[in-house]
Structures are given as C-alpha cells and as structure tokens.
Amino acid sequence: MNLDYIVREPENISSDTTILFMLHGYGSNEQDLFSFRETLPKDWIIVSFRAPRNTQFEGFSWYDIDFNNPENFIDVPQATESLNSVTESILKIINSYGITEGKTHLCGFSQGGILCYALALKYPEMFNLVACLSSYPEEKLLTDIIRDKKKLERLRFFISHGTDDAVIPLEWGRKAADLLYDLSCYFTFREYMSGHGVNQKNYMDLMDFFSK
C-alpha cells in the first residue's frame, strides 16, 4: 500500500543527505508533526506520512483501537499492515532520492510512536535517531525484534511522556525504559508536566536531540 505524504526538501540533496520520517497519532493527519519542520535542520529532507485509515472528524489512524477492551486494545493485523506499508514507503522514498550514505531518523507521536518502536527494533540497521512521543512499546508488535546488541548500538532513542496523560498512561510509557535498558540501547527518557501532547520544554528537548 502506497502511503500519502508531504515533504520538505532542502536546496541540495546528495547521497549523504539526512532524512526524517514522521508518523502522526490516532485521529490526526500528516500536517501535525510536520509543523516541527520550522526548527529542524534546514539540510534535512522531512517526510510526514498520512495513516491509511479514516477516523471520525476527518482524521486518520494506523489501526483501530478498542478503548473498552484492554486485551484487544489494538487491531494487530491492521497495525502489522501499516508497519509493512511504512517500511515499504520509507525504502521507496530513500531510493528515489538516491540516499545511500545519509542517516534516516524517525519521529512518532502516540500511535505513530508505537509504530516507531517496532520499526526501529525490527530494522535497526535502517535508522539512527528515533523519537517516540506520548507512546509505548506494544508487545504484540515486538514479537520478532532484533536482540543483537551490535546491530542495535547505532540507534539513539528520545522518549517523552506527559505525567498527566489520560490517553496512554505514564506507566505504559515507562515500559520503554525497561525494554530499551534490557536491549542495551542508548536512550533518553523524560517526563513532562503535561497531558497527551508535547509542551514547550518537551519540544525544546526534542529539537536538541535532533540537533546532535
């Protein structure tokens, strides 16, 4: 499945240009995280995907969520299909730009962040910096992740979560620290006085992460 996306291109693109892929949250769209582009490095390509499924109020989602059923909170087949679509789209876009030496980064919010965990840990050789905002590592999507520390060592994670998040509990977000620690991954885990969103301090720390 080809995903729709919007892109900001730098003036010059070469084989070692850095590219950042963005995955929005449930019920949002590709414009959401794309607003971050104003403070991201000007020489990066920035690609923001639109999730393939329609939700209420003209939003989009990567998979259905059942808030009333914790056991089947996520639709695993739909999420797996979206993961495959994102992976294919990323490879296609990287190839179309002829990027062979450049770094590839990920940034996902909520449902998009959940997919970012799975993408980075399934295909660690593809990515470098990975930001997962207001999300959590979903075990049902992490059944076949890479556990080879040598392959995981190039990844750098930035994890952020609001202390008053009413959508994805902070306890779920904290699972990331345990998982990444067990995998010997490099990560920063930060909590902010906010709800299900990105406040000013969170945003500044995120931009600092991407500037390194």
Side-chain angles (χ1 to χ4, degrees), residues 66-118:
D66 187 348
F67 288 101
N68 299 316
N69 188 348
E71 287 305 306
N72 292 306
F73 184 63
I74 81 162
D75 187 309
V76 176
Q78 289 179 5
T80 302
E81 185 182 357
S82 284
L83 264 177
N84 293 336
S85 297
V86 172
T87 307
E88 287 171 24
S89 297
I90 285 174
L91 290 170
K92 206 175 285 183
I93 292 167
I94 288 173
N95 288 335
S96 72
Y97 282 114
I99 298 172
T100 53
E101 308 295 327
K103 292 181 176 177
T104 302
H105 304 325
L106 291 171
C107 180
F109 178 81
S110 195
Q111 202 178 63
I114 292 167
L115 293 191
C116 284
Y117 279 119

Side-chain angles (χ1 to χ4, degrees), residues 173-208:
R174 285 176 176 163
K175 290 179 185 175
D178 296 331
L179 172 68
L180 297 176
Y181 181 81
D182 288 343
L183 292 171
S184 298
C185 288
Y186 295 96
F187 69 94
T188 300
F189 182 91
R190 299 215 171 141
E191 297 174 8
Y192 299 89
M193 299 285 285
S194 66
H196 193 64
V198 178
N199 68 12
Q200 189 63 30
K201 181 72 173 81
N202 189 169
Y203 184 79
M204 289 166 63
D205 289 344
L206 175 65
M207 290 304 121
D208 185 52

Side-chain angles (χ1 to χ4, degrees), residues 17-31:
T17 294
T18 294
I19 188 164
L20 168 65
F21 292 96
M22 299 177 141
L23 283 75
H24 65 76
Y26 182 92
S28 188
N29 60 45
E30 69 277 18
Q31 295 287 347

Side-chain angles (χ1 to χ4, degrees), residues 38 46 110 124 128-129 144 147 162-163 170 184 190 196 210:
E38 301 299 335
I46 297 173
S110 195
N128 298 93
L129 302 180
D144 55 348
R147 296 183 179 273
T163 53
L170 178 58
S184 298
R190 299 215 171 141
H196 193 64
F210 277 133

